[in-house]
């Protein structure tokens, strides 16, 4: 077993390298509509597949030459009334396969196209500037936005402007979220003060509801408890990850290190690893730290990196107040994904 430490990594990623990475992660690198397994007891899942296939067939129909959806919305252009929305929006709970379906849509249509999480697009704007991001994406046929969230007013206005310009350029948009578009921002900031921007985001999507239970835990036993001590952790890691590259870190040092690495670089931070080992996982009690950790959890899940740990179980890594607050859906998603990775680590050990 070759060991490394995330706290010793400080990757540098250019804006163009970020753009090149806007494609489904390894976990969803070869999925398709045919590999999605709808739950027979949830007819909305099979219906979502058919709606997405129909949407895919309409992608790549050419530029709108200024008569796009947003031009009509704001009174510009000469298009006819009743034009269908420029995008499709998958709404549902955790683990119903929304990302699988979004990645399947991406694979099903011709390029150029982009696939990334909401936070990756905001990070791209920060790296390239808004105007260069628009220029980079405006000739794409499809832009997929996974885990759509509006966490602050700045993101609301930013994504409203970005999607307005992309849609007016004829780009088709597809998104997933655990929140209906009209409810984005609730509980995080004074959403009523930004109702126009939120309404712009909401109106452009045809909403497809997907019901069901979290497939990551469907019919499976509870996640394994963390190991008892460091000696047990080292023995389990040697057994489970022999011949692999593993990052071993103290949890406190790791979360402190995340404050010095921009979230846009978390994908590069874990590049080349096969597994994760954390000593002394504890409950995070600061919101800013917790939100950074959520991004890391998402990237670990993207790469399907099994986790072994000591300390508290992952359903206790966020405080009760956080799990009940405005960002609760982010935290529940992270707990679901970390639990799945801990289960993989436990099975390997």
């Amino acid at each position: 077993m070759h060991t490394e430490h995330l706290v010793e990594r400080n990757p540098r990623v250019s804006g163009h390298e970020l753009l090149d990475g806007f494609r489904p992660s390894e976990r969803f690198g070869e999925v398709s509509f045919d590999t999605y397994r709808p739950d027979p007891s949830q007819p909305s899942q099979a219906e979502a597949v058919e709606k997405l296939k129909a949407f895919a067939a309409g992608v790549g129909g050419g530029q709108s030459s200024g008569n796009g959806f947003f031009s009509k919305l704001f009174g510009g252009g000469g298009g006819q009334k009743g034009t269908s929305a420029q995008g499709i929006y998958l709404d549902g709970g955790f683990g119903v396969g929304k990302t699988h379906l979004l990645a399947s849509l991406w694979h099903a249509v011709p390029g150029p196209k982009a696939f990334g999480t909401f936070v990756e697009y905001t990070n791209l704007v920060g790296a390239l500037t808004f105007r260069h991001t628009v220029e980079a994406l405006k000739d794409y046929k499809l832009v997929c936005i996974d885990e759509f969230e509006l966490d602050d007013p700045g993101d609301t206005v930013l994504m409203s402007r970005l999607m307005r310009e992309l849609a007016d350029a004829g780009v088709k948009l597809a998104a997933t979220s655990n929140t209906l578009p009209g409810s984005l921002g609730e509980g995080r900031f004074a959403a009523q003060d930004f109702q126009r921007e939120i309404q712009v985001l909401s109106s452009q999507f045809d909403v497809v509801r997907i019901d069901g239970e979290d497939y990551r835990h469907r019919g499976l036993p509870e996640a394994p408890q963390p190991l008892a001590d460091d000696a047990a952790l080292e023995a389990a890691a040697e057994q489970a990850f022999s011949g692999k590259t593993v990052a071993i870190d103290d949890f406190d040092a790791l979360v402190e290190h995340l404050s010095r690495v921009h979230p846009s670089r978390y994908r590069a931070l874990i590049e080349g690893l096969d597994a994760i080992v954390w000593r002394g996982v504890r409950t995070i009690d600061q919101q800013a730290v917790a939100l950074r950790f959520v991004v890391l959890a998402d990237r670990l899940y993207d790469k399907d990196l099994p986790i072994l740990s000591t300390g508290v179980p992952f359903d206790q890594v966020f405080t009760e107040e956080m799990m009940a607050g405005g960002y609760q859906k982010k935290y529940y998603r992270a707990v679901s994904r970390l639990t799945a990775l801990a289960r993989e680590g436990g099975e390997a050990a």
Side-chain angles (χ1 to χ4, degrees):
M1 183 178 70
H2 173 68
T3 62
E4 296 192 16
H5 306 286
L6 292 178
V7 296
E8 295 176 356
R9 291 182 165 202
N10 191 22
R12 301 293 177 184
V13 183
S14 70
H16 293 291
E17 288 173 324
L18 285 176
L19 189 61
D20 289 341
F22 272 70
R23 60 184 64 248
S25 66
E26 292 92 331
R27 179 181 287 270
F28 302 102
E30 297 182 358
V31 298
S32 68
F33 294 128
D34 291 336
T35 63
Y36 182 73
R37 296 289 179 261
D39 185 343
S41 67
Q42 302 291 344
S44 63
Q45 295 187 7
E47 292 169 5
V49 173
E50 296 308 312
K51 290 177 181 178
L52 282 166
K53 287 181 178 179
F55 184 81
V59 174
Q63 300 293 311
S64 66
S65 301
N67 290 326
F69 176 77
F70 280 107
S71 291
K72 301 178 192 58
L73 183 65
F74 289 103
Q80 298 176 353
K81 288 178 130 183
T83 301
S84 64
Q86 192 74 4
I88 192 166
Y89 187 102
L90 306 181
D91 173 68
F94 311 104
V96 296
K98 300 186 302 296
T99 301
H100 184 134
L101 289 174
L102 188 68
S104 299
L105 172 65
W106 188 90
H107 287 299
V109 304
K113 52 193 175 181
F115 182 104
T117 64
F118 179 88
V119 70
E120 286 177 314
Y121 283 102
T122 58
N123 289 336
L124 183 67
V125 172
L128 293 183
T129 74
F130 180 84
R131 182 49 47 197
H132 282 106
T133 300
V134 172
E135 288 299 314
L137 298 177
K138 70 180 180 63
D139 294 325
Y140 281 34
K141 291 181 172 64
L142 175 69
V143 167
C144 295
I145 308 166
D146 199 21
E147 300 159 14
F148 201 110
E149 294 286 351
L150 295 180
D151 295 337
D152 60 54
D155 283 349
T156 305
V157 176
L158 174 67
M159 292 303 289
S160 173
R161 288 182 58 208
L162 178 63
M163 293 186 352
R164 178 167 65 240
E165 298 211 22
L166 293 180
D168 273 344
V171 180
K172 291 288 187 179
L173 305 169
T176 73
S177 181
N178 303 309
T179 306
L180 286 169
S183 301
L184 290 167
E186 287 184 0
R188 299 171 182 84
F189 58 90
Q192 65 272 17
D193 294 339
F194 297 88
Q195 195 59 48
R196 182 170 185 249
E197 285 80 4
I198 291 173
Q199 188 60 41
V200 167
L201 296 175
S202 174
S203 299
Q204 69 176 307
F205 290 108
D206 286 330
V207 177
V208 177
R209 175 71 188 177
I210 307 176
D211 300 304
E213 59 180 315
D214 191 337
Y215 79 92
R216 287 183 285 266
H217 312 303
R218 190 185 302 159
L220 294 174
E222 290 296 316
Q225 287 295 306
L227 294 163
D229 52 40
D230 289 352
L233 185 69
E234 291 176 11
E238 285 287 353
Q239 173 181 317
F241 308 132
S242 176
K244 298 182 177 180
T245 300
V246 182
I248 302 177
D249 290 273
D250 292 323
F251 190 75
D252 278 340
L254 170 67
V255 295
E256 198 277 331
H257 181 64
L258 293 180
S259 68
R260 299 191 294 271
V261 180
H262 193 274
S264 65
R265 293 184 276 160
Y266 288 2
R267 193 183 301 277
L269 182 69
I270 61 174
E271 189 66 34
L273 298 177
D274 299 307
I276 296 292
V277 174
W278 287 333
R279 294 184 290 246
V281 174
R282 64 168 179 81
T283 302
I284 299 172
D285 55 12
Q286 293 181 302
Q287 190 100 268
V289 176
L291 290 173
R292 285 193 295 267
F293 185 65
V294 165
V295 178
L296 178 64
D298 288 339
R299 301 292 79 78
L300 293 173
Y301 184 75
D302 285 345
K303 288 188 68 66
D304 196 16
L305 296 182
I307 299 174
L308 287 174
S309 64
T310 62
V312 303
F314 288 120
D315 61 1
Q316 297 177 27
V317 76
F318 306 114
T319 66
E320 292 183 6
E321 291 78 11
M322 291 176 185
M323 297 297 287
Y327 299 103
Q328 61 177 270
K329 293 183 178 180
K330 282 179 175 286
Y331 296 137
Y332 274 105
R333 183 184 74 229
V335 168
S336 172
R337 291 180 166 185
L338 289 168
T339 298
L341 297 177
R343 185 180 293 118
E344 291 181 20
E347 290 172 351

